[in-house]
C-alpha cells in the first residue's frame, strides 16, 4: 500500500491490456481536462455524451465546456436516473439517440455518470455499428472505484442482474473526485461498499487503513483520493491479468452472488442500491465462510463491524420495507442465485474468505447448506 496522495496531484493508473491499454486519471478538477485528453487521444473526433438527469444538472455543462474548449463537437443523450435505465428500454433509447446523432465507428461515446450510465452507455457503444470506442467519466464513488474500470458493460434482465452485456473496455477513464461533492450521502456510502471490498478480498493492510480512515474518505481530501487510487490499482491489476473472468477476476464478485439476488428480489428499486446489496452480500459471504470453518466468527464480525461503522446495511432485515413487504423466501433467493454468471453446470460458485484480506473462489457449492444459511438469516 502506498502513502496517501497530496490533495492536488492527479494520479494515473494504467490498465495494462496490451493494444487496448488505457489510463485512469484521478484527481480534483480533472473534468476540465477532458477535452484536451480526448483531443490528444483522438484528434478530430466527434462525441456524444450519455448521462442521467441528476448528473446532467450538475456536471453536463462543465463536461461540454471542456470539449468545446478543445473544439470537439458533441451531442447529449439524457436518461432517467437509476436501474430503470439499465433495461432493454433504456438501451433502445440510448442506441436510437446515438444513431440519430450519426455517431460513426470512429467517433466516441462518453459515459458521464454513475455505474448505471457507464454500464448502459458502454453496452450501447459495444453494439453500435458493431463497436464504437467509449470514454468513462465516472461521477459516483462506486463508478470511480469500480464500474468505470475493466470493461464489464450491460443491462439487467427482470430475471437477473447484468444478464445481457459485453466486455468492452473504455479507451480512457477520467475520474474527477470533486464531482463527488454533489453525490447524496446514501449513494456515497453505497459506493464505499466496493472500496471496502478490495480490502476484504485481497488487501488486509488496506482494510486496516480503511478501519482507521474511513470517515476522512467521507469528508473528502487526500484520504478520498488515496482510497480511489488504491481501489483502481487493485482492479486494474486483476483485470489486466484476467480480463474475461476465467479465473482470478471472479474475486471482484465478493458479496455479489447474494447481493445481486437481493437486488433482483427487491425489483432493482431504490429499496436497495447495488453497493448496499454488496455490503449485505459481503457480510453474508463472511458469515457463510465462518459457518464453513474457513475463518473465525471474529473475522466475520470484523467485516460487519466496519461496514456498520461506515453506515451500510449488513443484514437482510436492514433492507428498506423488510418488515412491511418482506423479501423473497430462501427458495426464491436460491432460484435467483441460480442465474448468477458464475454458475457452472448448474452448480453455484461463491467467493468466500480464508482470512480478512484473502478471498477464494469456491466452486461446486452444495445448495443445501446455502439454503439453510439463508433460512436462518431470514428468520433473525
Ligand atoms: N461494470 C462494472 O464493473 C460494475 C461494477 C460495479 C457496479 N456496477 C453497476 O453500477 C451500478 C451502480 O452504480 P452507481 O452506484 O454509481 O449507481 P447510479 O449510476 O444509479 O448512480 C447513483 C445515483 O447517484 C446519482 N449521481 C451520480 N453521480 C452523481 C454526482 N456526482 N452528483 C449527484 N448525483 C450523482 C445518479 O443520478 C444516481 O441517481 C449498478 O447497476 C451495478 O450493477 C458495474
Ligand atoms: O468487474 C468485475 O469483475 C466485478 O465483478 C465488479 C462488480 O463490482 C460489479 O458489480 C460487476 O458488474 C458484477 O459483475 P457480474 O459479472 O457479476 O455481473
Ligand atoms: Zn459491484
Amino acid at each position: 500500500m502506498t502513502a496517501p496522495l497530496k490533495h492536488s496531484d492527479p494520479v494515473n493508473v494504467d490498465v495494462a491490456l496490451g493494444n487496448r491499454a488505457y489510463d485512469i486519471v484521478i484527481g480534483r478538477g480533472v473534468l476540465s481536462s477532458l477535452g484536451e485528453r480526448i483531443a490528444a487521444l483522438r484528434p478530430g473526433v466527434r462525441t456524444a455524451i450519455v448521462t442521467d438527469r441528476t448528473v446532467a444538472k450538475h456536471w453536463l455543462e462543465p463536461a461540454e465546456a471542456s470539449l468545446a474548449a478543445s473544439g470537439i463537437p458533441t451531442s447529449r443523450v439524457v436518461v432517467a436516473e437509476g436501474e430503470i435505465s439499465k433495461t432493454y428500454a433504456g438501451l433502445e433509447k440510448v442506441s436510437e439517440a446515438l444513431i440519430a446523432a450519426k455517431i460513426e465507428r470512429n467517433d466516441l461515446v462518453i459515459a458521464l455518470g454513475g455505474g448505471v450510465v457507464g454500464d448502459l452507455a458502454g453496452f450501447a457503444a459495444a453494439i453500435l455499428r458493431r463497436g464504437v470506442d467509449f470514454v468513462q467519466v465516472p461521477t459516483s464513488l462506486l463508478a470511480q472505484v469500480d464500474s468505470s474500470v475493466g470493461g464489464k458493460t450491460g443491462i439487467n434482465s427482470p430475471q437477473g442482474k447484468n444478464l445481457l452485456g459485453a466486455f468492452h473496455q473504455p479507451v480512457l477513464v477520467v475520474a474527477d473526485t470533486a464531482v463527488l461533492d454533489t453525490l447524496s450521502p446514501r449513494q456515497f456510502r453505497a459506493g464505499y461498499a466496493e472500496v471496502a471490498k478490495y480490502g476484504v478480498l485481497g488487501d488486509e493492510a488496506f482494510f486496516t487503513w480503511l478501519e482507521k480512515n474511513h470517515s476522512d474518505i467521507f469528508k473528502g481530501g487526500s484520504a478520498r483520493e488515496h482510497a480511489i487510487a488504491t481501489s483502481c490499482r487493485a482492479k486494474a491489476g486483476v483485470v489486466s491479468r484476467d480480463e474475461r473472468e476465467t479465473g482470478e477476476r471472479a474475486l471482484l464478485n465478493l458479496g455479489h452472488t447474494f447481493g445481486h439476488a437481493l437486488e433482483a428480489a427487491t425489483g432493482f428499486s431504490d429499496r436497495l442500491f447495488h453497493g448496499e446489496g454488496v455490503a449485505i452480500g459481503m457480510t453474508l459471504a463472511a458469515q457463510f465462510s465462518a459457518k464453513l470453518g474457513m475463518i473465525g466468527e471474529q473475522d466475520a464480525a470484523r467485516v460487519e463491524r466496519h461496514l456498520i461503522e461506515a453506515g451500510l446495511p449488513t443484514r437482510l432485515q436492514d433492507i428498506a420495507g423488510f418488515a412491511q413487504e418482506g423479501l423473497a423466501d430462501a427458495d426464491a433467493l436460491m432460484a435467483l442465485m441460480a442465474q448468477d454468471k458464475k454458475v457452472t453446470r448448474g452448480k453455484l460458485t461463491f467467493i468466500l474468505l480464508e482470512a480478512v484480506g484473502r478471498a477464494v473462489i469456491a466452486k461446486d457449492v452444495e445448495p443445501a447448506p446455502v439454503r439453510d444459511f439463508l433460512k436462518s438469516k431470514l428468520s433473525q
Side-chain angles (χ1 to χ4, degrees), residues 33-75:
S33 68
L34 180 68
E36 257 171 67
R37 291 178 193 280
I38 288 179
L41 204 62
R42 296 289 160 88
V45 79
R46 291 164 66 246
T47 64
I49 299 178
V50 181
T51 190
D52 73 30
R53 288 179 307 211
T54 307
V55 176
K57 198 168 66 190
H58 297 289
W59 300 108
L60 182 54
E61 282 177 13
E64 287 174 336
S66 173
L67 295 172
S70 292
I72 299 171
T74 195
S75 52

Side-chain angles (χ1 to χ4, degrees), residues 358-370:
R358 200 166 69 247
V360 288
I361 301 166
K363 292 188 188 240
D364 293 344
V365 175
E366 290 300 330
V370 182

Side-chain angles (χ1 to χ4, degrees), residues 52 83 86 114-116 119 139-140 147 152 161 179 182 235:
D52 73 30
E83 297 286 331
K86 235 181 95 171
V116 163
D119 284 12
T139 64
S140 66
S147 62
K152 277 191 179 177
K161 190 81 183 166
V179 309
T182 57
K235 182 154 185 181

Side-chain angles (χ1 to χ4, degrees), residues 146 152 161-162 194 197 235 245 249 252-253 256 260 274 341:
D146 194 345
K152 277 191 179 177
K161 190 81 183 166
N162 305 335
E194 302 271 24
K197 179 186 78 175
K235 182 154 185 181
E245 200 174 305
R249 184 165 182 170
L252 299 176
N253 235 243
H256 286 64
H260 280 169
H274 174 75
K341 287 180 282 326

Side-chain angles (χ1 to χ4, degrees), residues 183-203:
L183 194 61
S184 77
R186 183 179 168 200
Q187 291 289 2
F188 197 98
R189 287 195 296 274
Y192 182 80
E194 302 271 24
V195 177
K197 179 186 78 175
Y198 294 108
V200 178
L201 77 85
D203 189 344

Side-chain angles (χ1 to χ4, degrees), residues 4-5 7 11 26-28 139-141 144-145 176-185 188 192 195 206 209-210 213-232:
L5 298 164
H7 195 43
V11 66
I26 304 159
R28 254 193 118 74
T139 64
S140 66
L141 178 63
Q144 294 195 352
V145 301
D176 186 336
T177 55
V179 309
L180 302 180
D181 294 345
T182 57
L183 194 61
S184 77
F188 197 98
Y192 182 80
V195 177
F206 183 49
W209 182 84
L210 291 173
N213 295 284
H214 66 91
S215 59
D216 290 340
I217 297 171
F218 284 80
K219 282 184 209 139
S222 62
R224 180 184 289 181
E225 268 130 58
H226 177 63
I228 294 170
T230 304
S231 302
C232 285

